[in-house]
mmCIF file of all heavy atoms in Angstrom:
data_model
loop_
_atom_site.group_PDB
_atom_site.id
_atom_site.type_symbol
_atom_site.label_atom_id
_atom_site.label_comp_id
_atom_site.label_asym_id
_atom_site.label_seq_id
_atom_site.Cartn_x
_atom_site.Cartn_y
_atom_site.Cartn_z
ATOM 1 N N VAL A 1 136.685 95.450 114.257
ATOM 2 C CA VAL A 1 135.656 95.966 115.210
ATOM 3 C C VAL A 1 135.512 94.951 116.291
ATOM 4 O O VAL A 1 135.421 95.258 117.488
ATOM 5 C CB VAL A 1 134.305 96.267 114.536
ATOM 6 C CG1 VAL A 1 133.210 96.490 115.537
ATOM 7 C CG2 VAL A 1 134.476 97.492 113.587
ATOM 8 N N VAL A 2 135.252 93.791 115.946
ATOM 9 C CA VAL A 2 135.215 92.577 116.946
ATOM 10 C C VAL A 2 136.292 92.516 117.881
ATOM 11 O O VAL A 2 136.245 92.349 119.020
ATOM 12 C CB VAL A 2 134.926 91.326 116.270
ATOM 13 C CG1 VAL A 2 134.819 90.190 117.293
ATOM 14 C CG2 VAL A 2 133.578 91.353 115.523
ATOM 15 N N ALA A 3 137.534 92.651 117.253
ATOM 16 C CA ALA A 3 138.752 92.669 118.116
ATOM 17 C C ALA A 3 138.797 93.805 119.121
ATOM 18 O O ALA A 3 139.408 93.644 120.230
ATOM 19 C CB ALA A 3 139.959 92.526 117.115
ATOM 20 N N GLN A 4 138.259 94.915 118.725
ATOM 21 C CA GLN A 4 138.218 96.039 119.469
ATOM 22 C C GLN A 4 137.377 95.838 120.716
ATOM 23 O O GLN A 4 137.522 96.583 121.713
ATOM 24 C CB GLN A 4 137.880 97.260 118.620
ATOM 25 C CG GLN A 4 137.865 98.607 119.273
ATOM 26 C CD GLN A 4 137.240 99.752 118.470
ATOM 27 O OE1 GLN A 4 137.304 99.563 117.227
ATOM 28 N NE2 GLN A 4 136.794 100.705 118.995
ATOM 29 N N ALA A 5 136.350 95.174 120.579
ATOM 30 C CA ALA A 5 135.348 95.011 121.611
ATOM 31 C C ALA A 5 135.932 94.314 122.892
ATOM 32 O O ALA A 5 136.747 93.448 122.864
ATOM 33 C CB ALA A 5 134.086 94.264 121.162
ATOM 34 N N PRO A 6 135.340 94.577 124.113
ATOM 35 C CA PRO A 6 135.808 93.869 125.314
ATOM 36 C C PRO A 6 135.548 92.337 125.051
ATOM 37 O O PRO A 6 134.634 92.001 124.440
ATOM 38 C CB PRO A 6 134.956 94.468 126.475
ATOM 39 C CG PRO A 6 134.558 95.802 125.850
ATOM 40 C CD PRO A 6 134.378 95.730 124.406
ATOM 41 N N SER A 7 136.323 91.536 125.676
ATOM 42 C CA SER A 7 136.129 90.129 125.420
ATOM 43 C C SER A 7 134.753 89.565 125.853
ATOM 44 O O SER A 7 134.240 88.713 125.268
ATOM 45 C CB SER A 7 137.221 89.294 126.221
ATOM 46 O OG SER A 7 137.041 89.634 127.673
ATOM 47 N N SER A 8 134.170 90.232 126.834
ATOM 48 C CA SER A 8 132.780 89.866 127.296
ATOM 49 C C SER A 8 131.684 90.139 126.199
ATOM 50 O O SER A 8 130.617 89.560 126.293
ATOM 51 C CB SER A 8 132.402 90.507 128.577
ATOM 52 O OG SER A 8 132.401 91.896 128.340
ATOM 53 N N SER A 9 131.964 90.943 125.276
ATOM 54 C CA SER A 9 130.928 91.398 124.226
ATOM 55 C C SER A 9 131.377 91.139 122.929
ATOM 56 O O SER A 9 130.702 91.585 121.973
ATOM 57 C CB SER A 9 130.588 92.832 124.568
ATOM 58 O OG SER A 9 131.598 93.656 124.127
ATOM 59 N N ARG A 10 132.336 90.249 122.605
ATOM 60 C CA ARG A 10 132.812 90.064 121.257
ATOM 61 C C ARG A 10 131.824 89.195 120.450
ATOM 62 O O ARG A 10 131.508 89.544 119.325
ATOM 63 C CB ARG A 10 134.175 89.401 121.313
ATOM 64 C CG ARG A 10 135.264 90.419 121.555
ATOM 65 C CD ARG A 10 136.590 89.760 121.572
ATOM 66 N NE ARG A 10 137.703 90.741 122.028
ATOM 67 C CZ ARG A 10 138.791 90.493 122.566
ATOM 68 N NH1 ARG A 10 139.238 89.123 122.618
ATOM 69 N NH2 ARG A 10 139.684 91.372 123.005
ATOM 70 N N ALA A 11 131.279 88.224 121.091
ATOM 71 C CA ALA A 11 130.312 87.390 120.368
ATOM 72 C C ALA A 11 129.066 88.255 120.035
ATOM 73 O O ALA A 11 128.489 88.188 118.893
ATOM 74 C CB ALA A 11 129.853 86.304 121.196
ATOM 75 N N ALA A 12 128.650 89.101 120.946
ATOM 76 C CA ALA A 12 127.446 89.971 120.741
ATOM 77 C C ALA A 12 127.765 91.056 119.632
ATOM 78 O O ALA A 12 126.884 91.402 118.810
ATOM 79 C CB ALA A 12 127.065 90.688 122.008
ATOM 80 N N THR A 13 129.031 91.497 119.616
ATOM 81 C CA THR A 13 129.326 92.487 118.580
ATOM 82 C C THR A 13 129.398 91.770 117.217
ATOM 83 O O THR A 13 128.797 92.431 116.216
ATOM 84 C CB THR A 13 130.828 92.940 118.850
ATOM 85 O OG1 THR A 13 130.950 93.580 120.148
ATOM 86 C CG2 THR A 13 131.225 94.009 117.857
ATOM 87 N N ARG A 14 129.779 90.584 117.067
ATOM 88 C CA ARG A 14 129.735 89.909 115.821
ATOM 89 C C ARG A 14 128.404 89.642 115.348
ATOM 90 O O ARG A 14 128.072 89.837 114.241
ATOM 91 C CB ARG A 14 130.543 88.592 115.882
ATOM 92 C CG ARG A 14 130.821 87.937 114.585
ATOM 93 C CD ARG A 14 131.643 86.662 114.734
ATOM 94 N NE ARG A 14 133.090 86.918 115.261
ATOM 95 C CZ ARG A 14 133.983 87.372 114.480
ATOM 96 N NH1 ARG A 14 133.802 87.605 113.132
ATOM 97 N NH2 ARG A 14 135.076 87.651 114.960
ATOM 98 N N LYS A 15 127.488 89.236 116.319
ATOM 99 C CA LYS A 15 126.094 89.102 115.981
ATOM 100 C C LYS A 15 125.409 90.402 115.553
ATOM 101 O O LYS A 15 124.522 90.387 114.549
ATOM 102 C CB LYS A 15 125.420 88.473 117.217
ATOM 103 C CG LYS A 15 123.874 88.350 117.066
ATOM 104 C CD LYS A 15 123.441 87.345 115.945
ATOM 105 C CE LYS A 15 121.922 86.976 115.954
ATOM 106 N NZ LYS A 15 121.072 88.013 115.872
ATOM 107 N N ALA A 16 125.664 91.468 116.195
ATOM 108 C CA ALA A 16 125.101 92.769 115.793
ATOM 109 C C ALA A 16 125.525 93.173 114.460
ATOM 110 O O ALA A 16 124.828 93.750 113.666
ATOM 111 C CB ALA A 16 125.577 93.812 116.815
ATOM 112 N N LEU A 17 126.801 92.767 114.023
ATOM 113 C CA LEU A 17 127.352 93.224 112.778
ATOM 114 C C LEU A 17 126.600 92.321 111.635
ATOM 115 O O LEU A 17 126.210 92.776 110.555
ATOM 116 C CB LEU A 17 128.769 93.036 112.611
ATOM 117 C CG LEU A 17 129.693 93.997 113.271
ATOM 118 C CD1 LEU A 17 131.097 93.544 113.463
ATOM 119 C CD2 LEU A 17 129.760 95.368 112.601
ATOM 120 N N GLN A 18 126.359 90.986 111.960
ATOM 121 C CA GLN A 18 125.512 90.227 111.075
ATOM 122 C C GLN A 18 124.206 90.786 110.905
ATOM 123 O O GLN A 18 123.650 90.848 109.767
ATOM 124 C CB GLN A 18 125.411 88.760 111.647
ATOM 125 C CG GLN A 18 126.842 88.050 111.614
ATOM 126 C CD GLN A 18 126.750 86.782 112.366
ATOM 127 O OE1 GLN A 18 125.834 86.398 113.100
ATOM 128 N NE2 GLN A 18 127.877 86.080 112.373
ATOM 129 N N ASP A 19 123.581 91.188 111.894
ATOM 130 C CA ASP A 19 122.243 91.803 111.855
ATOM 131 C C ASP A 19 122.231 93.055 111.039
ATOM 132 O O ASP A 19 121.322 93.438 110.331
ATOM 133 C CB ASP A 19 121.644 92.037 113.247
ATOM 134 C CG ASP A 19 121.302 90.724 113.969
ATOM 135 O OD1 ASP A 19 121.174 89.693 113.349
ATOM 136 O OD2 ASP A 19 121.095 90.796 115.299
ATOM 137 N N LEU A 20 123.286 93.796 111.206
ATOM 138 C CA LEU A 20 123.406 95.057 110.466
ATOM 139 C C LEU A 20 123.541 94.790 108.952
ATOM 140 O O LEU A 20 122.807 95.527 108.145
ATOM 141 C CB LEU A 20 124.711 95.815 110.897
ATOM 142 C CG LEU A 20 125.074 97.094 110.112
ATOM 143 C CD1 LEU A 20 123.739 98.067 110.169
ATOM 144 C CD2 LEU A 20 126.241 97.619 110.787
ATOM 145 N N ARG A 21 124.315 93.764 108.561
ATOM 146 C CA ARG A 21 124.287 93.291 107.207
ATOM 147 C C ARG A 21 122.974 92.893 106.723
ATOM 148 O O ARG A 21 122.463 93.362 105.575
ATOM 149 C CB ARG A 21 125.291 92.166 106.889
ATOM 150 C CG ARG A 21 126.694 92.401 107.135
ATOM 151 C CD ARG A 21 127.536 91.272 106.748
ATOM 152 N NE ARG A 21 128.967 91.445 107.080
ATOM 153 C CZ ARG A 21 129.470 90.904 108.211
ATOM 154 N NH1 ARG A 21 128.733 90.175 109.056
ATOM 155 N NH2 ARG A 21 130.754 91.015 108.466
ATOM 156 N N THR A 22 122.265 92.204 107.406
ATOM 157 C CA THR A 22 120.706 91.827 107.153
ATOM 158 C C THR A 22 119.896 92.948 106.977
ATOM 159 O O THR A 22 119.013 92.982 105.912
ATOM 160 C CB THR A 22 120.308 90.832 108.041
ATOM 161 O OG1 THR A 22 121.121 89.656 108.277
ATOM 162 C CG2 THR A 22 118.920 90.449 107.905
ATOM 163 N N SER A 23 120.012 93.933 107.710
ATOM 164 C CA SER A 23 119.048 95.137 107.615
ATOM 165 C C SER A 23 119.436 95.883 106.348
ATOM 166 O O SER A 23 118.613 96.490 105.712
ATOM 167 C CB SER A 23 119.341 96.141 108.885
ATOM 168 O OG SER A 23 120.609 96.681 108.952
ATOM 169 N N LEU A 24 120.785 95.793 105.941
ATOM 170 C CA LEU A 24 121.161 96.556 104.761
ATOM 171 C C LEU A 24 120.534 95.780 103.529
ATOM 172 O O LEU A 24 120.310 96.440 102.486
ATOM 173 C CB LEU A 24 122.679 96.620 104.629
ATOM 174 C CG LEU A 24 123.331 97.887 105.201
ATOM 175 C CD1 LEU A 24 124.808 97.606 105.203
ATOM 176 C CD2 LEU A 24 123.132 99.105 104.393
ATOM 177 N N ARG A 25 120.427 94.437 103.537
ATOM 178 C CA ARG A 25 119.786 93.668 102.579
ATOM 179 C C ARG A 25 118.243 94.161 102.356
ATOM 180 O O ARG A 25 117.801 94.216 101.338
ATOM 181 C CB ARG A 25 119.870 92.288 102.732
ATOM 182 C CG ARG A 25 121.329 91.743 102.655
ATOM 183 C CD ARG A 25 121.912 91.925 101.357
ATOM 184 N NE ARG A 25 123.143 91.411 101.210
ATOM 185 C CZ ARG A 25 124.071 91.587 100.117
ATOM 186 N NH1 ARG A 25 123.618 92.288 99.023
ATOM 187 N NH2 ARG A 25 125.151 90.857 100.162
ATOM 188 N N GLY A 26 117.677 94.515 103.570
ATOM 189 C CA GLY A 26 116.289 94.876 103.604
ATOM 190 C C GLY A 26 116.171 96.259 102.846
ATOM 191 O O GLY A 26 115.233 96.543 102.138
ATOM 192 N N ALA A 27 117.172 97.192 103.070
ATOM 193 C CA ALA A 27 117.122 98.495 102.404
ATOM 194 C C ALA A 27 117.373 98.322 100.896
ATOM 195 O O ALA A 27 116.950 98.980 100.099
ATOM 196 C CB ALA A 27 118.255 99.359 102.956
ATOM 197 N N GLU A 28 118.250 97.281 100.556
ATOM 198 C CA GLU A 28 118.534 97.000 99.149
ATOM 199 C C GLU A 28 117.308 96.558 98.493
ATOM 200 O O GLU A 28 116.999 97.088 97.312
ATOM 201 C CB GLU A 28 119.597 95.916 99.049
ATOM 202 C CG GLU A 28 120.000 95.547 97.680
ATOM 203 C CD GLU A 28 121.198 94.709 97.719
ATOM 204 O OE1 GLU A 28 120.984 93.577 98.465
ATOM 205 O OE2 GLU A 28 122.212 94.745 96.873
ATOM 206 N N ASP A 29 116.394 95.801 99.129
ATOM 207 C CA ASP A 29 115.112 95.358 98.535
ATOM 208 C C ASP A 29 114.316 96.546 98.203
ATOM 209 O O ASP A 29 113.753 96.581 97.103
ATOM 210 C CB ASP A 29 114.457 94.369 99.366
ATOM 211 C CG ASP A 29 115.157 93.010 99.505
ATOM 212 O OD1 ASP A 29 115.928 92.853 98.655
ATOM 213 O OD2 ASP A 29 114.752 92.300 100.550
ATOM 214 N N ALA A 30 114.262 97.600 99.151
ATOM 215 C CA ALA A 30 113.344 98.799 98.853
ATOM 216 C C ALA A 30 113.954 99.613 97.895
ATOM 217 O O ALA A 30 113.240 100.196 97.148
ATOM 218 C CB ALA A 30 113.272 99.423 100.233
ATOM 219 N N VAL A 31 115.262 99.623 97.791
ATOM 220 C CA VAL A 31 115.887 100.516 96.688
ATOM 221 C C VAL A 31 115.610 99.828 95.327
ATOM 222 O O VAL A 31 115.202 100.603 94.375
ATOM 223 C CB VAL A 31 117.423 100.670 97.007
ATOM 224 C CG1 VAL A 31 118.098 101.052 95.676
ATOM 225 C CG2 VAL A 31 117.674 101.441 98.085
ATOM 226 N N TYR A 32 115.612 98.547 95.146
ATOM 227 C CA TYR A 32 115.318 97.888 93.951
ATOM 228 C C TYR A 32 113.762 98.160 93.549
ATOM 229 O O TYR A 32 113.635 98.131 92.384
ATOM 230 C CB TYR A 32 115.676 96.449 94.003
ATOM 231 C CG TYR A 32 117.104 96.250 93.575
ATOM 232 C CD1 TYR A 32 118.190 96.129 94.477
ATOM 233 C CD2 TYR A 32 117.395 96.039 92.303
ATOM 234 C CE1 TYR A 32 119.513 95.928 94.108
ATOM 235 C CE2 TYR A 32 118.872 95.716 91.822
ATOM 236 C CZ TYR A 32 119.766 95.735 92.915
ATOM 237 O OH TYR A 32 121.153 95.554 92.419
ATOM 238 N N LYS A 33 112.956 98.148 94.616
ATOM 239 C CA LYS A 33 111.570 98.326 94.272
ATOM 240 C C LYS A 33 111.304 99.772 94.133
ATOM 241 O O LYS A 33 110.189 100.277 93.842
ATOM 242 C CB LYS A 33 110.757 97.751 95.423
ATOM 243 C CG LYS A 33 110.772 96.373 95.622
ATOM 244 C CD LYS A 33 109.734 95.954 96.617
ATOM 245 C CE LYS A 33 110.094 96.395 98.089
ATOM 246 N NZ LYS A 33 109.155 95.901 99.046
ATOM 247 N N GLN A 34 112.327 100.742 94.403
ATOM 248 C CA GLN A 34 112.192 102.097 94.412
ATOM 249 C C GLN A 34 110.987 102.611 95.250
ATOM 250 O O GLN A 34 110.265 103.450 94.921
ATOM 251 C CB GLN A 34 111.880 102.636 92.859
ATOM 252 C CG GLN A 34 113.095 102.296 91.985
ATOM 253 C CD GLN A 34 112.903 102.902 90.630
ATOM 254 O OE1 GLN A 34 111.993 103.742 90.346
ATOM 255 N NE2 GLN A 34 113.807 102.539 89.715
ATOM 256 N N ASP A 35 111.012 102.031 96.517
ATOM 257 C CA ASP A 35 109.864 102.413 97.391
ATOM 258 C C ASP A 35 110.604 103.099 98.627
ATOM 259 O O ASP A 35 111.271 102.621 99.517
ATOM 260 C CB ASP A 35 109.326 100.952 97.962
ATOM 261 C CG ASP A 35 108.215 101.218 98.891
ATOM 262 O OD1 ASP A 35 108.143 102.196 99.573
ATOM 263 O OD2 ASP A 35 107.277 100.372 98.800
ATOM 264 N N GLN A 36 110.352 104.351 98.645
ATOM 265 C CA GLN A 36 110.949 105.362 99.582
ATOM 266 C C GLN A 36 110.510 105.041 101.086
ATOM 267 O O GLN A 36 111.287 105.151 102.021
ATOM 268 C CB GLN A 36 110.763 106.783 99.288
ATOM 269 C CG GLN A 36 111.594 107.633 100.131
ATOM 270 C CD GLN A 36 111.315 109.037 99.868
ATOM 271 O OE1 GLN A 36 110.359 109.563 99.525
ATOM 272 N NE2 GLN A 36 112.420 109.964 99.963
ATOM 273 N N GLY A 37 109.120 104.637 101.038
ATOM 274 C CA GLY A 37 108.508 104.384 102.419
ATOM 275 C C GLY A 37 109.266 103.154 103.025
ATOM 276 O O GLY A 37 109.611 103.298 104.205
ATOM 277 N N ASP A 38 109.173 102.018 102.401
ATOM 278 C CA ASP A 38 109.940 100.835 102.927
ATOM 279 C C ASP A 38 111.404 101.129 103.083
ATOM 280 O O ASP A 38 112.083 100.559 104.012
ATOM 281 C CB ASP A 38 109.879 99.704 101.930
ATOM 282 C CG ASP A 38 108.345 99.072 101.985
ATOM 283 O OD1 ASP A 38 107.566 99.483 102.765
ATOM 284 O OD2 ASP A 38 108.112 98.216 101.188
ATOM 285 N N GLY A 39 112.004 101.888 102.252
ATOM 286 C CA GLY A 39 113.424 102.276 102.328
ATOM 287 C C GLY A 39 113.770 103.055 103.525
ATOM 288 O O GLY A 39 114.688 102.670 104.304
ATOM 289 N N SER A 40 112.872 103.974 104.075
ATOM 290 C CA SER A 40 112.991 104.713 105.191
ATOM 291 C C SER A 40 112.981 103.814 106.401
ATOM 292 O O SER A 40 113.640 104.004 107.392
ATOM 293 C CB SER A 40 112.037 105.969 105.132
ATOM 294 O OG SER A 40 112.177 106.798 104.154
ATOM 295 N N LEU A 41 111.925 102.890 106.455
ATOM 296 C CA LEU A 41 111.818 101.910 107.525
ATOM 297 C C LEU A 41 112.997 101.099 107.651
ATOM 298 O O LEU A 41 113.511 100.939 108.780
ATOM 299 C CB LEU A 41 110.528 101.233 107.406
ATOM 300 C CG LEU A 41 109.177 102.044 107.377
ATOM 301 C CD1 LEU A 41 108.131 101.065 107.149
ATOM 302 C CD2 LEU A 41 108.934 102.725 108.747
#
């Protein structure tokens, strides 16, 4: 995905993918707590 991005936005693409992983960890916490409200957010 990063290689596919224009050269001017590759660093930003990599950062966005890192933030996406972090957000999935937040969803994981909600799933382990079985909290649908936090999971939806």
Side-chain angles (χ1 to χ4, degrees):
V1 170
V2 172
Q4 179 186 338
S7 57
S8 61
S9 65
R10 283 177 187 163
T13 305
R14 192 174 297 279
K15 175 64 166 57
L17 286 164
Q18 292 171 350
D19 290 340
L20 178 57
R21 292 190 190 94
T22 301
S23 69
L24 270 168
R25 293 300 185 188
E28 186 177 44
D29 291 342
V31 167
Y32 273 89
K33 292 188 299 182
Q34 299 187 8
D35 188 325
Q36 189 182 34
D38 283 355
S40 297
L41 297 175

